[in-house]
Amino acid sequence: MEFKTFVFYFFSAILVFAGLRVITSRNPVHAALFLVLAFFSASGVWMLLQAEFLAIALILIYVGAVMVLFLFVVMMLDINLDRLREGFWSYLPLGSIIALLMVAEMALILGGNYLGLLESSVPQASAEASNVKAIGRLIFTQYVYPFELASVILLVGIVAAVALTQRGKRKNKSVNPSQQVFVKAADRLRVLQMPAEKRD
Amino acid sequence: MMVDALQVFLQGLFGSVFPLVWVLLKIVLIIAPLLLCVAYLTFWERKVIGWMQVRIGPNRVGPWGLIQPIADGVKLLLKEVLIPTGSDKSVFLIAPMFAFAPALAAWAVVPFNDTLVLANVNASLLYIMSVTSIGVYGIILAGWASNSKYAFLGGMRSAAQMISYEISMGLALVVVLMVSNSLNLGDIVHSQGKGIFADYGLGFLSWNWLPLLPMFAVYLVSIVAETNRAPFDMAEGESEIVGFHCEYSGMAFAVFFLAEYANMILVSTLTSLLFLGGWLSPVGFLPDGLLWLFVKIAAVLFFFLWIRATFPRYRYDQIMRLGWKVFIPLCLIWLVVVGCWMMSPLNIWK
């Protein structure tokens, strides 16, 4: 067996195991951590495909930022497992239909080569050319409108999140830092000159 | 050459697994001095702060106190590692490793001069950014697994701080990438060796710190906040606030400590490479070399210690305000300014 194949199966085995643990782990924080492991292994597999930019971006964005915020939320929630399991049997039919649909979709894509759906084969990137440069050039030339559109959608998401959490003016006694930085000693402190007095 | 002789000898000894052995040897050659530097950085810090406060600093163990870090290490090794009741034991023990491992893994792509680099990859800066962004897990997991509200809140606080400053750091780096037109740290250093001043033999005026001065300032402050150092040390403001590692003891605590100092050395190296010309010599008549890189790293590290002894601690809301409302807008504006500059006839980075 070639070494590359071994590495691929190694990462894939960890990926599948971590994916299984994400849905079977009883502790939600552990589940989130297994999801991190799954991202890591997936990034390893992408690295094998020489998609270095995607692999690093996966770790930078999903592991470094998204999952951290995810963990924040999961850690602070008081999750009651018994209540989560209550409606398991009633939701099962709907869940299995969705699962079957997803499996069918994945089969169409993964089996695309056999079914003749994909016209071109997967483009082979040369190891020498910089992945990042190629992606950057494509984003700002061929795909510039979808790219700008995506950024506008993200901006809308940010505005929406701020609007949802904004509850009018703050009623607490917090200080205003932009005024605070302009404070001078003379505003807070008055030095009095007092002549010394003689004791009777 | 001795290195070649060693290479030939090892090749004969190990045969087909030789490349693996060779890489492992290089890793040891990077990690071992790094750990020694970490140990003596703690000593240097105590000495410098002592002098700045008109004290002597540690001077009891060995000549001039030089054995002090070893003594500290042995003390911490011999102490018991307490695991709080009701804590998540496995996560509790993994957390320090999560904090420390990225600080070491990032060194894989750090170049020391033109040829001396473990892995010369194209996207080395991107790799460093992604690897160092994992360090934040150590902090949140330590806070959560301790089963203590103080540690949990401390972990949240430090993690939020690190994520916020990662953004301003990243934006400052984007500007550096724009002017150097590469993600490879070696190429970034090389791009700083060209320019009008470099032609006159005044190389240090061609380095990125001068044309990108606002970004250099933002980056310098951000790395201090990113490594949780004073005056932004919300993680361990002993006198007023409880940090994420308050339930850790012995070596488990020491690993967090090592991670902090290893991260300091790493970000100092990055600052030297990205803004201060790496191994390039500041003036034309002196040769470039490894020594210059070490001098620059030491200078940035001294800056860390200096501001720790100089500035009072920031309040938490002030830290967050500085990151989000001052640095990020500043970076975004400067990004556009540099973009316009590069498109104008005044472009100096051709």
Side-chain angles (χ1 to χ4, degrees), chain A residues 180, chain B residues 157 161 224 228-243 260 307-319 322:
Chain A
Q180 196 181 20
Chain B
R157 203 168 50 228
Q161 177 185 337
V224 178
N228 277 323
R229 294 282 306 174
F232 304 112
D233 55 342
M234 285 300 118
E236 44 175 81
E238 300 94 341
S239 50
E240 61 220 36
I241 212 164
V242 181
E260 182 179 320
I307 60 166
R308 176 171 175 189
T310 309
F311 291 116
R313 185 173 296 130
Y314 260 54
R315 219 172 50 206
Y316 188 66
D317 63 319
Q318 292 171 332
I319 296 182
L322 184 70

PDB file of all heavy atoms in Angstrom, chain A residues 180, chain B residues 157 161 224 228-243 260 307-319 322:
ATOM      1  N   GLN A 180     -14.723  59.120  28.423  1.00  0.00           N
ATOM      2  CA  GLN A 180     -13.801  58.855  29.523  1.00  0.00           C
ATOM      3  C   GLN A 180     -12.348  59.154  29.150  1.00  0.00           C
ATOM      4  O   GLN A 180     -11.587  59.659  29.973  1.00  0.00           O
ATOM      5  CB  GLN A 180     -13.934  57.388  29.917  1.00  0.00           C
ATOM      6  CG  GLN A 180     -13.364  57.054  31.238  1.00  0.00           C
ATOM      7  CD  GLN A 180     -13.527  55.581  31.511  1.00  0.00           C
ATOM      8  OE1 GLN A 180     -13.717  54.786  30.605  1.00  0.00           O
ATOM      9  NE2 GLN A 180     -13.452  55.219  32.763  1.00  0.00           N
TER      10      GLN A 180
ATOM     11  N   ARG B 157     -13.760  35.129  29.231  1.00  0.00           N
ATOM     12  CA  ARG B 157     -13.200  36.465  29.085  1.00  0.00           C
ATOM     13  C   ARG B 157     -11.942  36.424  28.212  1.00  0.00           C
ATOM     14  O   ARG B 157     -11.810  37.175  27.242  1.00  0.00           O
ATOM     15  CB  ARG B 157     -12.869  36.983  30.475  1.00  0.00           C
ATOM     16  CG  ARG B 157     -12.810  38.455  30.606  1.00  0.00           C
ATOM     17  CD  ARG B 157     -12.778  38.834  32.066  1.00  0.00           C
ATOM     18  NE  ARG B 157     -11.767  38.085  32.777  1.00  0.00           N
ATOM     19  CZ  ARG B 157     -11.966  37.462  33.932  1.00  0.00           C
ATOM     20  NH1 ARG B 157     -13.142  37.503  34.503  1.00  0.00           N
ATOM     21  NH2 ARG B 157     -10.994  36.810  34.509  1.00  0.00           N
ATOM     22  N   GLN B 161     -11.368  37.838  24.338  1.00  0.00           N
ATOM     23  CA  GLN B 161     -10.291  38.791  24.070  1.00  0.00           C
ATOM     24  C   GLN B 161      -9.396  38.304  22.934  1.00  0.00           C
ATOM     25  O   GLN B 161      -9.068  39.053  22.010  1.00  0.00           O
ATOM     26  CB  GLN B 161      -9.475  38.980  25.340  1.00  0.00           C
ATOM     27  CG  GLN B 161      -8.292  39.899  25.173  1.00  0.00           C
ATOM     28  CD  GLN B 161      -7.454  39.945  26.431  1.00  0.00           C
ATOM     29  OE1 GLN B 161      -7.924  39.664  27.523  1.00  0.00           O
ATOM     30  NE2 GLN B 161      -6.204  40.293  26.280  1.00  0.00           N
ATOM     31  N   VAL B 224       0.276  41.724  22.011  1.00  0.00           N
ATOM     32  CA  VAL B 224       0.311  41.744  23.473  1.00  0.00           C
ATOM     33  C   VAL B 224      -1.036  41.264  24.032  1.00  0.00           C
ATOM     34  O   VAL B 224      -1.096  40.460  24.957  1.00  0.00           O
ATOM     35  CB  VAL B 224       0.638  43.158  23.993  1.00  0.00           C
ATOM     36  CG1 VAL B 224       0.623  43.166  25.503  1.00  0.00           C
ATOM     37  CG2 VAL B 224       1.980  43.603  23.495  1.00  0.00           C
ATOM     38  N   ASN B 228      -2.251  37.467  25.950  1.00  0.00           N
ATOM     39  CA  ASN B 228      -2.754  37.685  27.312  1.00  0.00           C
ATOM     40  C   ASN B 228      -1.687  38.224  28.245  1.00  0.00           C
ATOM     41  O   ASN B 228      -1.565  37.800  29.397  1.00  0.00           O
ATOM     42  CB  ASN B 228      -3.307  36.376  27.899  1.00  0.00           C
ATOM     43  CG  ASN B 228      -4.717  36.126  27.444  1.00  0.00           C
ATOM     44  OD1 ASN B 228      -5.493  37.073  27.312  1.00  0.00           O
ATOM     45  ND2 ASN B 228      -5.050  34.886  27.213  1.00  0.00           N
ATOM     46  N   ARG B 229      -0.902  39.178  27.739  1.00  0.00           N
ATOM     47  CA  ARG B 229       0.164  39.747  28.558  1.00  0.00           C
ATOM     48  C   ARG B 229      -0.250  41.103  29.100  1.00  0.00           C
ATOM     49  O   ARG B 229      -1.105  41.771  28.528  1.00  0.00           O
ATOM     50  CB  ARG B 229       1.419  39.925  27.696  1.00  0.00           C
ATOM     51  CG  ARG B 229       2.006  38.634  27.231  1.00  0.00           C
ATOM     52  CD  ARG B 229       2.776  37.960  28.303  1.00  0.00           C
ATOM     53  NE  ARG B 229       3.796  38.854  28.863  1.00  0.00           N
ATOM     54  CZ  ARG B 229       4.546  38.546  29.907  1.00  0.00           C
ATOM     55  NH1 ARG B 229       4.384  37.413  30.526  1.00  0.00           N
ATOM     56  NH2 ARG B 229       5.448  39.387  30.345  1.00  0.00           N
ATOM     57  N   ALA B 230       0.406  41.537  30.174  1.00  0.00           N
ATOM     58  CA  ALA B 230       0.162  42.861  30.725  1.00  0.00           C
ATOM     59  C   ALA B 230       0.504  43.888  29.663  1.00  0.00           C
ATOM     60  O   ALA B 230       1.480  43.694  28.923  1.00  0.00           O
ATOM     61  CB  ALA B 230       1.035  43.092  31.948  1.00  0.00           C
ATOM     62  N   PRO B 231      -0.209  45.009  29.537  1.00  0.00           N
ATOM     63  CA  PRO B 231      -1.328  45.467  30.353  1.00  0.00           C
ATOM     64  C   PRO B 231      -2.693  44.897  29.959  1.00  0.00           C
ATOM     65  O   PRO B 231      -3.698  45.434  30.380  1.00  0.00           O
ATOM     66  CB  PRO B 231      -1.290  46.978  30.114  1.00  0.00           C
ATOM     67  CG  PRO B 231      -0.795  47.113  28.723  1.00  0.00           C
ATOM     68  CD  PRO B 231       0.169  45.998  28.523  1.00  0.00           C
ATOM     69  N   PHE B 232      -2.726  43.848  29.142  1.00  0.00           N
ATOM     70  CA  PHE B 232      -4.009  43.253  28.762  1.00  0.00           C
ATOM     71  C   PHE B 232      -4.154  41.879  29.399  1.00  0.00           C
ATOM     72  O   PHE B 232      -4.735  40.983  28.805  1.00  0.00           O
ATOM     73  CB  PHE B 232      -4.096  43.111  27.238  1.00  0.00           C
ATOM     74  CG  PHE B 232      -3.887  44.395  26.505  1.00  0.00           C
ATOM     75  CD1 PHE B 232      -2.760  44.591  25.738  1.00  0.00           C
ATOM     76  CD2 PHE B 232      -4.821  45.401  26.584  1.00  0.00           C
ATOM     77  CE1 PHE B 232      -2.558  45.776  25.065  1.00  0.00           C
ATOM     78  CE2 PHE B 232      -4.634  46.586  25.903  1.00  0.00           C
ATOM     79  CZ  PHE B 232      -3.501  46.778  25.154  1.00  0.00           C
ATOM     80  N   ASP B 233      -3.589  41.651  30.580  1.00  0.00           N
ATOM     81  CA  ASP B 233      -3.565  40.305  31.130  1.00  0.00           C
ATOM     82  C   ASP B 233      -4.810  40.011  31.960  1.00  0.00           C
ATOM     83  O   ASP B 233      -4.730  39.834  33.171  1.00  0.00           O
ATOM     84  CB  ASP B 233      -2.290  40.069  31.941  1.00  0.00           C
ATOM     85  CG  ASP B 233      -2.121  41.099  33.023  1.00  0.00           C
ATOM     86  OD1 ASP B 233      -2.767  42.143  32.926  1.00  0.00           O
ATOM     87  OD2 ASP B 233      -1.344  40.858  33.960  1.00  0.00           O
ATOM     88  N   MET B 234      -5.944  39.948  31.248  1.00  0.00           N
ATOM     89  CA  MET B 234      -7.185  39.605  31.936  1.00  0.00           C
ATOM     90  C   MET B 234      -7.159  38.170  32.447  1.00  0.00           C
ATOM     91  O   MET B 234      -7.929  37.803  33.313  1.00  0.00           O
ATOM     92  CB  MET B 234      -8.352  39.758  30.974  1.00  0.00           C
ATOM     93  CG  MET B 234      -8.728  41.176  30.727  1.00  0.00           C
ATOM     94  SD  MET B 234      -9.183  41.945  32.264  1.00  0.00           S
ATOM     95  CE  MET B 234      -7.950  43.209  32.390  1.00  0.00           C
ATOM     96  N   ALA B 235      -6.260  37.347  31.881  1.00  0.00           N
ATOM     97  CA  ALA B 235      -6.241  35.938  32.292  1.00  0.00           C
ATOM     98  C   ALA B 235      -5.713  35.793  33.704  1.00  0.00           C
ATOM     99  O   ALA B 235      -6.171  34.938  34.458  1.00  0.00           O
ATOM    100  CB  ALA B 235      -5.379  35.138  31.327  1.00  0.00           C
ATOM    101  N   GLU B 236      -4.735  36.595  34.090  1.00  0.00           N
ATOM    102  CA  GLU B 236      -4.153  36.376  35.406  1.00  0.00           C
ATOM    103  C   GLU B 236      -3.874  37.693  36.102  1.00  0.00           C
ATOM    104  O   GLU B 236      -2.767  37.938  36.551  1.00  0.00           O
ATOM    105  CB  GLU B 236      -2.883  35.543  35.306  1.00  0.00           C
ATOM    106  CG  GLU B 236      -1.978  35.973  34.169  1.00  0.00           C
ATOM    107  CD  GLU B 236      -0.689  35.197  34.178  1.00  0.00           C
ATOM    108  OE1 GLU B 236      -0.708  34.083  33.676  1.00  0.00           O
ATOM    109  OE2 GLU B 236       0.303  35.723  34.681  1.00  0.00           O
ATOM    110  N   GLY B 237      -4.881  38.565  36.130  1.00  0.00           N
ATOM    111  CA  GLY B 237      -4.720  39.790  36.902  1.00  0.00           C
ATOM    112  C   GLY B 237      -4.877  39.443  38.369  1.00  0.00           C
ATOM    113  O   GLY B 237      -5.939  39.590  38.944  1.00  0.00           O
ATOM    114  N   GLU B 238      -3.778  38.973  38.966  1.00  0.00           N
ATOM    115  CA  GLU B 238      -3.843  38.333  40.286  1.00  0.00           C
ATOM    116  C   GLU B 238      -4.604  39.165  41.311  1.00  0.00           C
ATOM    117  O   GLU B 238      -5.374  38.654  42.101  1.00  0.00           O
ATOM    118  CB  GLU B 238      -2.433  38.078  40.835  1.00  0.00           C
ATOM    119  CG  GLU B 238      -1.568  37.187  39.984  1.00  0.00           C
ATOM    120  CD  GLU B 238      -0.713  37.993  39.036  1.00  0.00           C
ATOM    121  OE1 GLU B 238      -1.052  39.167  38.809  1.00  0.00           O
ATOM    122  OE2 GLU B 238       0.269  37.437  38.525  1.00  0.00           O
ATOM    123  N   SER B 239      -4.371  40.484  41.266  1.00  0.00           N
ATOM    124  CA  SER B 239      -4.862  41.275  42.375  1.00  0.00           C
ATOM    125  C   SER B 239      -6.348  41.553  42.299  1.00  0.00           C
ATOM    126  O   SER B 239      -6.959  41.935  43.288  1.00  0.00           O
ATOM    127  CB  SER B 239      -4.095  42.588  42.419  1.00  0.00           C
ATOM    128  OG  SER B 239      -4.102  43.158  41.130  1.00  0.00           O
ATOM    129  N   GLU B 240      -6.978  41.390  41.126  1.00  0.00           N
ATOM    130  CA  GLU B 240      -8.367  41.821  41.054  1.00  0.00           C
ATOM    131  C   GLU B 240      -9.308  40.847  40.364  1.00  0.00           C
ATOM    132  O   GLU B 240     -10.512  40.945  40.498  1.00  0.00           O
ATOM    133  CB  GLU B 240      -8.432  43.166  40.332  1.00  0.00           C
ATOM    134  CG  GLU B 240      -7.901  43.079  38.914  1.00  0.00           C
ATOM    135  CD  GLU B 240      -7.080  44.264  38.536  1.00  0.00           C
ATOM    136  OE1 GLU B 240      -6.377  44.765  39.426  1.00  0.00           O
ATOM    137  OE2 GLU B 240      -7.133  44.671  37.381  1.00  0.00           O
ATOM    138  N   ILE B 241      -8.796  39.893  39.622  1.00  0.00           N
ATOM    139  CA  ILE B 241      -9.694  39.108  38.784  1.00  0.00           C
ATOM    140  C   ILE B 241      -9.163  37.673  38.719  1.00  0.00           C
ATOM    141  O   ILE B 241      -7.969  37.452  38.809  1.00  0.00           O
ATOM    142  CB  ILE B 241      -9.767  39.787  37.391  1.00  0.00           C
ATOM    143  CG1 ILE B 241     -11.115  39.584  36.763  1.00  0.00           C
ATOM    144  CG2 ILE B 241      -8.674  39.322  36.496  1.00  0.00           C
ATOM    145  CD1 ILE B 241     -11.332  40.551  35.627  1.00  0.00           C
ATOM    146  N   VAL B 242     -10.068  36.687  38.617  1.00  0.00           N
ATOM    147  CA  VAL B 242      -9.646  35.292  38.638  1.00  0.00           C
ATOM    148  C   VAL B 242      -9.611  34.755  37.215  1.00  0.00           C
ATOM    149  O   VAL B 242     -10.529  34.957  36.445  1.00  0.00           O
ATOM    150  CB  VAL B 242     -10.609  34.452  39.493  1.00  0.00           C
ATOM    151  CG1 VAL B 242     -10.157  33.016  39.536  1.00  0.00           C
ATOM    152  CG2 VAL B 242     -10.675  35.014  40.890  1.00  0.00           C
ATOM    153  N   GLY B 243      -8.536  34.063  36.866  1.00  0.00           N
ATOM    154  CA  GLY B 243      -8.336  33.620  35.493  1.00  0.00           C
ATOM    155  C   GLY B 243      -8.814  32.209  35.244  1.00  0.00           C
ATOM    156  O   GLY B 243      -9.274  31.517  36.155  1.00  0.00           O
ATOM    157  N   GLU B 260       2.212  30.375  27.216  1.00  0.00           N
ATOM    158  CA  GLU B 260       2.194  31.836  27.113  1.00  0.00           C
ATOM    159  C   GLU B 260       3.543  32.366  26.634  1.00  0.00           C
ATOM    160  O   GLU B 260       3.613  33.201  25.734  1.00  0.00           O
ATOM    161  CB  GLU B 260       1.844  32.422  28.476  1.00  0.00           C
ATOM    162  CG  GLU B 260       1.760  33.933  28.469  1.00  0.00           C
ATOM    163  CD  GLU B 260       1.397  34.474  29.831  1.00  0.00           C
ATOM    164  OE1 GLU B 260       0.546  33.863  30.511  1.00  0.00           O
ATOM    165  OE2 GLU B 260       1.974  35.500  30.228  1.00  0.00           O
ATOM    166  N   ILE B 307       6.756  46.958  28.648  1.00  0.00           N
ATOM    167  CA  ILE B 307       5.423  47.512  28.866  1.00  0.00           C
ATOM    168  C   ILE B 307       4.760  46.846  30.059  1.00  0.00           C
ATOM    169  O   ILE B 307       3.915  47.437  30.701  1.00  0.00           O
ATOM    170  CB  ILE B 307       4.520  47.413  27.623  1.00  0.00           C
ATOM    171  CG1 ILE B 307       4.334  45.976  27.220  1.00  0.00           C
ATOM    172  CG2 ILE B 307       5.052  48.226  26.488  1.00  0.00           C
ATOM    173  CD1 ILE B 307       3.204  45.839  26.253  1.00  0.00           C
ATOM    174  N   ARG B 308       5.148  45.609  30.379  1.00  0.00           N
ATOM    175  CA  ARG B 308       4.555  44.992  31.559  1.00  0.00           C
ATOM    176  C   ARG B 308       4.947  45.761  32.813  1.00  0.00           C
ATOM    177  O   ARG B 308       4.154  45.921  33.730  1.00  0.00           O
ATOM    178  CB  ARG B 308       4.999  43.537  31.685  1.00  0.00           C
ATOM    179  CG  ARG B 308       4.450  42.962  32.943  1.00  0.00           C
ATOM    180  CD  ARG B 308       4.623  41.501  33.114  1.00  0.00           C
ATOM    181  NE  ARG B 308       4.139  41.171  34.458  1.00  0.00           N
ATOM    182  CZ  ARG B 308       4.290  40.017  35.015  1.00  0.00           C
ATOM    183  NH1 ARG B 308       4.877  39.040  34.369  1.00  0.00           N
ATOM    184  NH2 ARG B 308       3.842  39.806  36.227  1.00  0.00           N
ATOM    185  N   ALA B 309       6.201  46.236  32.826  1.00  0.00           N
ATOM    186  CA  ALA B 309       6.649  46.966  34.008  1.00  0.00           C
ATOM    187  C   ALA B 309       6.183  48.406  33.995  1.00  0.00           C
ATOM    188  O   ALA B 309       6.264  49.084  35.002  1.00  0.00           O
ATOM    189  CB  ALA B 309       8.177  46.913  34.085  1.00  0.00           C
ATOM    190  N   THR B 310       5.704  48.883  32.825  1.00  0.00           N
ATOM    191  CA  THR B 310       5.418  50.310  32.702  1.00  0.00           C
ATOM    192  C   THR B 310       3.938  50.648  32.878  1.00  0.00           C
ATOM    193  O   THR B 310       3.606  51.597  33.574  1.00  0.00           O
ATOM    194  CB  THR B 310       5.873  50.816  31.328  1.00  0.00           C
ATOM    195  OG1 THR B 310       7.212  50.408  31.130  1.00  0.00           O
ATOM    196  CG2 THR B 310       5.789  52.312  31.254  1.00  0.00           C
ATOM    197  N   PHE B 311       3.049  49.888  32.218  1.00  0.00           N
ATOM    198  CA  PHE B 311       1.659  50.323  32.134  1.00  0.00           C
ATOM    199  C   PHE B 311       0.772  49.648  33.168  1.00  0.00           C
ATOM    200  O   PHE B 311       0.948  48.467  33.452  1.00  0.00           O
ATOM    201  CB  PHE B 311       1.099  50.045  30.739  1.00  0.00           C
ATOM    202  CG  PHE B 311       1.711  50.915  29.691  1.00  0.00           C
ATOM    203  CD1 PHE B 311       2.476  50.364  28.681  1.00  0.00           C
ATOM    204  CD2 PHE B 311       1.538  52.279  29.731  1.00  0.00           C
ATOM    205  CE1 PHE B 311       3.059  51.162  27.727  1.00  0.00           C
ATOM    206  CE2 PHE B 311       2.107  53.084  28.779  1.00  0.00           C
ATOM    207  CZ  PHE B 311       2.873  52.521  27.783  1.00  0.00           C
ATOM    208  N   PRO B 312      -0.213  50.383  33.697  1.00  0.00           N
ATOM    209  CA  PRO B 312      -1.204  49.740  34.553  1.00  0.00           C
ATOM    210  C   PRO B 312      -2.168  48.908  33.698  1.00  0.00           C
ATOM    211  O   PRO B 312      -2.282  49.137  32.498  1.00  0.00           O
ATOM    212  CB  PRO B 312      -1.934  50.919  35.192  1.00  0.00           C
ATOM    213  CG  PRO B 312      -1.789  52.021  34.231  1.00  0.00           C
ATOM    214  CD  PRO B 312      -0.474  51.817  33.550  1.00  0.00           C
ATOM    215  N   ARG B 313      -2.839  47.968  34.338  1.00  0.00           N
ATOM    216  CA  ARG B 313      -3.707  47.045  33.599  1.00  0.00           C
ATOM    217  C   ARG B 313      -4.933  47.762  33.042  1.00  0.00           C
ATOM    218  O   ARG B 313      -5.515  48.614  33.689  1.00  0.00           O
ATOM    219  CB  ARG B 313      -4.140  45.927  34.547  1.00  0.00           C
ATOM    220  CG  ARG B 313      -4.935  44.847  33.892  1.00  0.00           C
ATOM    221  CD  ARG B 313      -5.162  43.719  34.862  1.00  0.00           C
ATOM    222  NE  ARG B 313      -3.894  43.105  35.231  1.00  0.00           N
ATOM    223  CZ  ARG B 313      -3.527  42.876  36.481  1.00  0.00           C
ATOM    224  NH1 ARG B 313      -4.303  43.184  37.478  1.00  0.00           N
ATOM    225  NH2 ARG B 313      -2.366  42.326  36.731  1.00  0.00           N
ATOM    226  N   TYR B 314      -5.290  47.408  31.819  1.00  0.00           N
ATOM    227  CA  TYR B 314      -6.509  47.924  31.212  1.00  0.00           C
ATOM    228  C   TYR B 314      -7.727  47.258  31.859  1.00  0.00           C
ATOM    229  O   TYR B 314      -7.640  46.131  32.332  1.00  0.00           O
ATOM    230  CB  TYR B 314      -6.520  47.574  29.730  1.00  0.00           C
ATOM    231  CG  TYR B 314      -6.112  48.697  28.823  1.00  0.00           C
ATOM    232  CD1 TYR B 314      -4.922  49.362  29.010  1.00  0.00           C
ATOM    233  CD2 TYR B 314      -6.924  49.074  27.783  1.00  0.00           C
ATOM    234  CE1 TYR B 314      -4.543  50.375  28.167  1.00  0.00           C
ATOM    235  CE2 TYR B 314      -6.555  50.093  26.945  1.00  0.00           C
ATOM    236  CZ  TYR B 314      -5.372  50.739  27.141  1.00  0.00           C
ATOM    237  OH  TYR B 314      -4.998  51.756  26.312  1.00  0.00           O
ATOM    238  N   ARG B 315      -8.859  47.995  31.835  1.00  0.00           N
ATOM    239  CA  ARG B 315     -10.103  47.369  32.274  1.00  0.00           C
ATOM    240  C   ARG B 315     -10.646  46.558  31.102  1.00  0.00           C
ATOM    241  O   ARG B 315     -10.372  46.869  29.952  1.00  0.00           O
ATOM    242  CB  ARG B 315     -11.085  48.455  32.668  1.00  0.00           C
ATOM    243  CG  ARG B 315     -11.927  48.168  33.870  1.00  0.00           C
ATOM    244  CD  ARG B 315     -12.692  49.385  34.241  1.00  0.00           C
ATOM    245  NE  ARG B 315     -13.377  49.936  33.062  1.00  0.00           N
ATOM    246  CZ  ARG B 315     -13.701  51.205  32.924  1.00  0.00           C
ATOM    247  NH1 ARG B 315     -13.404  52.058  33.870  1.00  0.00           N
ATOM    248  NH2 ARG B 315     -14.323  51.633  31.860  1.00  0.00           N
ATOM    249  N   TYR B 316     -11.455  45.522  31.399  1.00  0.00           N
ATOM    250  CA  TYR B 316     -11.851  44.607  30.326  1.00  0.00           C
ATOM    251  C   TYR B 316     -12.639  45.311  29.225  1.00  0.00           C
ATOM    252  O   TYR B 316     -12.398  45.097  28.039  1.00  0.00           O
ATOM    253  CB  TYR B 316     -12.678  43.449  30.896  1.00  0.00           C
ATOM    254  CG  TYR B 316     -12.929  42.396  29.861  1.00  0.00           C
ATOM    255  CD1 TYR B 316     -11.869  41.662  29.364  1.00  0.00           C
ATOM    256  CD2 TYR B 316     -14.195  42.167  29.354  1.00  0.00           C
ATOM    257  CE1 TYR B 316     -12.065  40.711  28.389  1.00  0.00           C
ATOM    258  CE2 TYR B 316     -14.396  41.222  28.382  1.00  0.00           C
ATOM    259  CZ  TYR B 316     -13.330  40.496  27.906  1.00  0.00           C
ATOM    260  OH  TYR B 316     -13.526  39.563  26.939  1.00  0.00           O
ATOM    261  N   ASP B 317     -13.595  46.181  29.599  1.00  0.00           N
ATOM    262  CA  ASP B 317     -14.386  46.839  28.550  1.00  0.00           C
ATOM    263  C   ASP B 317     -13.520  47.765  27.710  1.00  0.00           C
ATOM    264  O   ASP B 317     -13.761  47.951  26.518  1.00  0.00           O
ATOM    265  CB  ASP B 317     -15.573  47.595  29.163  1.00  0.00           C
ATOM    266  CG  ASP B 317     -15.114  48.707  30.084  1.00  0.00           C
ATOM    267  OD1 ASP B 317     -14.154  48.466  30.824  1.00  0.00           O
ATOM    268  OD2 ASP B 317     -15.707  49.796  30.070  1.00  0.00           O
ATOM    269  N   GLN B 318     -12.471  48.310  28.324  1.00  0.00           N
ATOM    270  CA  GLN B 318     -11.558  49.164  27.551  1.00  0.00           C
ATOM    271  C   GLN B 318     -10.775  48.342  26.536  1.00  0.00           C
ATOM    272  O   GLN B 318     -10.537  48.793  25.413  1.00  0.00           O
ATOM    273  CB  GLN B 318     -10.590  49.875  28.494  1.00  0.00           C
ATOM    274  CG  GLN B 318     -11.270  50.902  29.376  1.00  0.00           C
ATOM    275  CD  GLN B 318     -10.340  51.428  30.449  1.00  0.00           C
ATOM    276  OE1 GLN B 318      -9.422  50.748  30.877  1.00  0.00           O
ATOM    277  NE2 GLN B 318     -10.606  52.634  30.904  1.00  0.00           N
ATOM    278  N   ILE B 319     -10.385  47.121  26.940  1.00  0.00           N
ATOM    279  CA  ILE B 319      -9.664  46.250  26.006  1.00  0.00           C
ATOM    280  C   ILE B 319     -10.523  45.942  24.797  1.00  0.00           C
ATOM    281  O   ILE B 319     -10.096  46.075  23.654  1.00  0.00           O
ATOM    282  CB  ILE B 319      -9.283  44.929  26.698  1.00  0.00           C
ATOM    283  CG1 ILE B 319      -8.328  45.178  27.834  1.00  0.00           C
ATOM    284  CG2 ILE B 319      -8.689  43.972  25.710  1.00  0.00           C
ATOM    285  CD1 ILE B 319      -7.898  43.912  28.504  1.00  0.00           C
ATOM    286  N   LEU B 322     -10.983  48.929  22.548  1.00  0.00           N
ATOM    287  CA  LEU B 322      -9.786  49.208  21.758  1.00  0.00           C
ATOM    288  C   LEU B 322      -9.706  48.273  20.554  1.00  0.00           C
ATOM    289  O   LEU B 322      -9.426  48.693  19.435  1.00  0.00           O
ATOM    290  CB  LEU B 322      -8.548  49.038  22.641  1.00  0.00           C
ATOM    291  CG  LEU B 322      -7.219  49.379  22.005  1.00  0.00           C
ATOM    292  CD1 LEU B 322      -7.125  50.862  21.783  1.00  0.00           C
ATOM    293  CD2 LEU B 322      -6.066  48.912  22.869  1.00  0.00           C
TER     294      LEU B 322
END
